[in-house]
Amino acid sequence: LGACIQDSSQARYRQGWALWKEFIRLYFGTSDFHTLFPEGAVLRSVGMAFVHYLYTDQQRSSPYVDQTLSHVSHYYKVHGRCSDALRSPAVLGVKRAVRLDYATRNEDPYPGRKLPFTGDMVAQAIIFHRVRGSTGDLLVALAFRCGFCHLLRASEYLNPSGSKLSRHCILAKHVLFQYRTGLDEMRLVSGADLRRLRIPYERVTVYKITVPSAKNDVYRTGRFHFGSAHRPVDGVDICRELYAHAVSTTLLPDDPFFSMRTSGGSRQVLTYAVMRQAVKAAAIRLGVDPTKFSLHSLRIGGACALRAAGAPLSMILFMGRWKSAPACLSYQVVGVNEYDRAMDYLRKPGVLSIADVELLHTRVTQSVAYSSTCDDVESTGFRDGVTCDAEADEEEEEEHRAC
């Protein structure tokens, strides 16, 4: 497991695992530590101690503790080992206490929390880089567009500096265009072959982006995004922008799609560092604090924009490739128009009538009357249709918790 993690493309995961090894060796010896805690309460206890160790002994900040534990838990999950214990309520409780203590010390209620980019901010950044006009700037502009509109994680379209590529990276062969032939047949062509075949954009009908894997896609089944060509929204045609990049440079099938070939034939990929600098610079030009924005601001910005536009939760989960609603909702910011829609609902007369209330009250009292005839709960345990029996409440809560 340690060898797999050391091969990770992201240094932050390697650093998190190194801290975990240091902690285990310090407190549990130099034995085969990663097999000591396969399941259950023991790993939870170690996780709680690890959080405390980082915050007190190592004097690390609350965001650093959150990230490090997330890195360790992530790699346990990726390699098929226990990760639920590290996300248990006990461990999360210790993390919450650390976060509150850190916030009290720093007078910051949301330490490390990044803010989302809005659609207007993304549009301003794209215009800026297109005006500059260099090949690198056009690639950055496309990354702004896709990161926001397709809710991409940074590891899915960016790469670390150097020759090692992210294993989640979208390659040229993962971007497909459906086009109409002269015989009105439909065929597919990858971004790597588009330049060679010289297919005019007028024949393109649909594009498809495959995200080959993700941190919550352990079995690398892949996730898909589709979009129609010739369907500009507010003057934006994402398919045309993807097409323009594919035909402007020579890409091999296994090249990252967000890369380009120089005149000498060498490959230049869009890296985390370049894109991070572009995001910070965009924030500065707009007069906002750049420390509050990161690469993740594009992804969470897309989720916030979908929610503010009234998109259903299922659509947000699908676009962001989240598997659960809590993970998705933790990224989102509520917009003013959502409150306005809520007020519109509340202003409608007759949404809930007095007859509805009386009917509900009748049902409650009937169920209480029935329960009071049984021996399970004493009839004195009810008052005005509501149970006030402490034991009954505890039993009800226990059943709910079990469900």
Side-chain angles (χ1 to χ4, degrees):
L1 181 61
C4 293
I5 291 168
Q6 295 309 312
D7 289 338
S8 170
S9 61
Q10 298 192 38
R12 57 196 180 108
Y13 289 135
R14 297 198 297 271
Q15 292 166 2
W17 183 251
L19 278 168
W20 176 255
K21 288 197 298 185
E22 176 186 341
F23 169 72
I24 296 296
R25 286 170 177 163
L26 181 63
Y27 287 95
F28 298 94
T30 57
S31 60
D32 195 15
F33 59 89
H34 62 276
T35 60
L36 288 177
F37 320 109
E39 299 286 349
V42 176
L43 184 55
R44 285 198 296 271
S45 300
V46 175
M48 294 163 62
F50 183 53
V51 173
H52 188 269
Y53 163 78
L54 291 174
Y55 190 62
T56 56
D57 295 18
Q58 294 288 317
Q59 297 292 309
R60 300 292 188 173
S61 65
S62 170
Y64 185 91
V65 173
D66 283 347
Q67 292 173 6
T68 303
L69 193 67
S70 175
H71 301 161
V72 176
S73 178
H74 166 65
Y75 266 93
Y76 265 91
K77 181 178 179 181
V78 165
H79 296 288
R81 302 188 65 85
C82 176
S83 65
D84 293 337
L86 292 175
R87 299 177 183 273
S88 67
V91 178
L92 296 179
V94 176
K95 283 177 58 178
R96 190 178 301 111
V98 164
R99 187 180 298 114
L100 290 173
D101 184 66
Y102 180 79
T104 303
R105 294 182 185 182
N106 293 271
E107 298 180 353
D108 184 0
Y110 302 105
R113 179 68 62 85
K114 300 303 181 183
L115 299 179
F117 256 53
T118 65
D120 293 338
M121 297 171 70
V122 171
Q124 293 274 2
I126 291 174
I127 291 172
F128 173 81
H129 287 282
R130 283 185 176 170
V131 169
R132 295 180 66 173
S134 69
T135 306
D137 281 301
L138 294 178
L139 187 58
V140 169
L142 180 63
F144 266 106
R145 179 78 70 201
C146 292
F148 179 81
C149 294
H150 289 293
L151 280 66
L152 297 177
R153 298 179 179 91
S155 60
E156 294 168 353
Y157 66 104
L158 302 175
N159 284 280
S161 301
S163 58
K164 192 173 183 64
L165 300 179
S166 169
R167 63 176 180 170
H168 307 312
C169 182
I170 299 171
L171 304 178
K173 63 183 179 184
H174 295 143
V175 180
L176 300 177
F177 297 88
Q178 185 186 63
Y179 69 98
R180 186 178 288 106
T181 66
L183 301 175
D184 283 341
E185 296 178 351
M186 292 297 182
R187 293 186 181 178
L188 292 174
V189 59
S190 71
D193 297 326
L194 196 61
R195 178 185 175 95
R196 178 176 57 83
L197 296 178
R198 298 182 179 180
I199 298 170
Y201 183 68
E202 288 71 21
R203 293 187 181 181
V204 177
T205 58
V206 176
Y207 73 92
K208 173 186 174 183
I209 299 176
T210 301
V211 180
S213 68
K215 64 181 182 180
N216 62 349
D217 182 15
V218 178
Y219 300 105
R220 299 175 68 87
T221 56
R223 298 293 186 269
F224 309 104
H225 283 267
F226 296 90
S228 298
H230 312 288
R231 189 176 178 273
V233 179
D234 293 335
V236 175
D237 188 349
I238 300 178
C239 184
R240 180 177 284 277
E241 295 181 13
L242 294 170
Y243 174 91
H245 171 64
V247 299
S248 65
T249 185
T250 302
L251 294 175
L252 300 178
D254 290 325
D255 283 345
F257 184 78
F258 292 88
S259 66
M260 53 189 174
R261 290 276 175 179
T262 64
S263 56
S266 61
R267 182 180 66 188
Q268 291 185 351
V269 299
L270 185 59
T271 63
Y272 290 99
V274 171
M275 194 64 191
R276 187 182 298 112
Q277 184 179 2
V279 169
K280 301 286 187 183
I284 293 174
R285 287 194 301 271
L286 293 168
V288 293
D289 184 1
T291 62
K292 293 293 184 182
F293 298 90
S294 68
L295 294 173
H296 211 53
S297 296
L298 297 176
R299 174 171 166 81
I300 62 178
C304 293
L306 283 174
R307 177 172 177 173
L313 178 60
S314 58
M315 181 182 293
I316 301 175
L317 288 171
F318 170 74
M319 291 295 294
R321 302 168 306 287
W322 284 291
K323 290 189 174 181
S324 62
C328 169
L329 295 176
S330 64
Y331 289 106
Q332 297 177 38
V333 176
V334 178
V336 174
N337 60 344
E338 290 184 77
Y339 286 105
D340 291 341
R341 283 198 299 269
M343 292 299 104
D344 291 338
Y345 290 134
L346 294 172
R347 291 192 190 100
K348 292 180 180 178
V351 174
L352 185 68
S353 66
I354 186 64
D356 296 328
V357 177
E358 290 177 346
L359 179 61
L360 177 64
H361 181 71
T362 303
R363 289 174 178 169
V364 172
T365 53
Q366 285 177 350
S367 64
V368 170
Y370 173 78
S371 299
S372 62
T373 61
C374 303
D375 296 330
D376 296 341
V377 183
E378 297 180 1
S379 59
T380 55
F382 296 92
R383 183 172 62 248
D384 296 332
V386 180
T387 176
C388 58
D389 189 345
E391 294 183 2
D393 286 344
E394 290 178 3
E395 291 179 2
E396 200 171 283
E397 289 180 6
E398 188 64 33
E399 290 181 4
H400 178 70
R401 195 176 300 113
C403 292

